[in-house]
Amino acid sequence: QWYQRRVAITAGNTATQQTLPEDLALTTTHHLLDAVHAGGCVDSSHQYLVLLYMALTQHHVSSVRLGPLTPYTISFLRNLKLFFGIVFKIKIEKINVDEPGNKKGLGSTLVMSCLGVGFENMNRSMT
């Protein structure tokens, strides 16, 4: 069910008026397989949201595994550093394709971690 909704969103972004249904299905399938192949726990279009929540959390260390960073996420990380002074630790984890169970072609994923700034909602009632 999740795949159907995600494919529909991707299909809407890749379709043109002259696109044949077979070509649309092929393009959509390639986008879906690229997202799965990239590894990570978050879709590339939502990487910045996870990093924002990690930056605003209480004074705890948070970490997440991501695939390749998008240009938007890179500029968002620069803005987080500028506004909040947050610097993420980025660890590149290589995937050993020779181990059983690993898929051929997967190169590496990024494990990003940071210490939250401790943002609190001051308007929230303290009851």
Side-chain angles (χ1 to χ4, degrees):
Q1 189 178 37
W2 175 83
Y3 292 112
Q4 292 172 350
R5 283 186 278 144
R6 181 67 188 153
V7 169
I9 291 170
T10 305
N13 293 337
T14 58
T16 61
Q17 289 183 347
Q18 289 92 17
T19 303
L20 294 173
E22 294 83 9
D23 295 337
L24 177 62
L26 186 64
T27 304
T28 304
T29 304
H30 284 206
H31 284 298
L32 179 62
L33 291 176
D34 286 343
V36 171
H37 180 71
C41 301
V42 181
D43 183 25
S44 61
S45 61
H46 297 100
Q47 290 174 342
Y48 74 98
L49 281 175
V50 174
L51 298 176
L52 175 65
Y53 295 144
M54 289 171 57
L56 294 178
T57 190
Q58 300 299 318
H59 296 287
H60 302 292
V61 175
S62 302
S63 62
V64 66
R65 180 181 306 274
L66 299 175
L69 297 179
T70 63
Y72 183 84
T73 303
I74 293 170
S75 64
F76 185 76
L77 286 170
R78 290 182 184 133
N79 289 334
L80 282 179
K81 182 179 180 184
L82 180 68
F83 296 138
F84 295 109
I86 297 245
V87 178
F88 281 80
K89 177 183 175 189
I90 301 174
K91 180 180 175 187
I92 300 173
E93 288 196 354
K94 301 278 185 193
I95 297 175
N96 187 359
V97 295
D98 295 331
E99 290 181 12
N102 288 341
K103 305 233 186 298
K104 296 286 183 190
L106 289 177
S108 61
T109 59
L110 303 173
V111 177
M112 301 186 66
S113 57
C114 77
L115 181 65
V117 296
F119 182 79
E120 292 182 15
N121 185 358
M122 299 305 285
N123 290 328
R124 192 175 78 185
S125 62
M126 297 294 207
T127 57

